[in-house]
Amino acid sequence: MNAVSIGEYHGLRVGSALLSIVAGCIIIGVSKDCDADAVGGSFLGAGGLGLLISVYPFIRAWFNFHHILPNIGETTYYIL
């Protein structure tokens, strides 16, 4: 079995998230009742969340939050 590179893995994650979003749009577009709309919404939500998780490292590096707000995630304790 061949190893999968990081780029291929990231491409698969983004591709599956986009496929889920497209499937949700198609399900909602052709549905006639509320049950199918709910299923399409589930696909859209899962695809959107997957896409957000996939691109989060790039967004974090692009905005470079550590220079703007360096103390995010650090706990500060104050003694009164």
Side-chain angles (χ1 to χ4, degrees):
M1 183 185 312
N2 295 334
V4 177
S5 70
I6 296 297
E8 291 172 337
Y9 177 69
H10 182 69
L12 287 171
R13 285 175 56 185
V14 171
S16 64
L18 290 175
L19 185 64
S20 178
I21 291 172
V22 169
C25 290
I26 291 171
I27 290 171
I28 289 175
V30 299
S31 65
K32 303 264 184 196
D33 57 355
C34 292
D35 295 336
D37 286 343
V39 172
S42 298
F43 273 89
L44 283 174
L49 181 63
L51 193 61
L52 181 67
I53 290 170
S54 296
V55 299
Y56 174 72
F58 299 104
I59 292 172
R60 186 181 64 191
W62 184 44
F63 285 122
N64 204 357
F65 288 125
H66 294 294
H67 290 315
I68 299 169
L69 299 170
N71 294 328
I72 291 178
E74 294 181 9
T75 306
T76 305
Y77 296 101
Y78 296 101
I79 299 174
L80 299 176

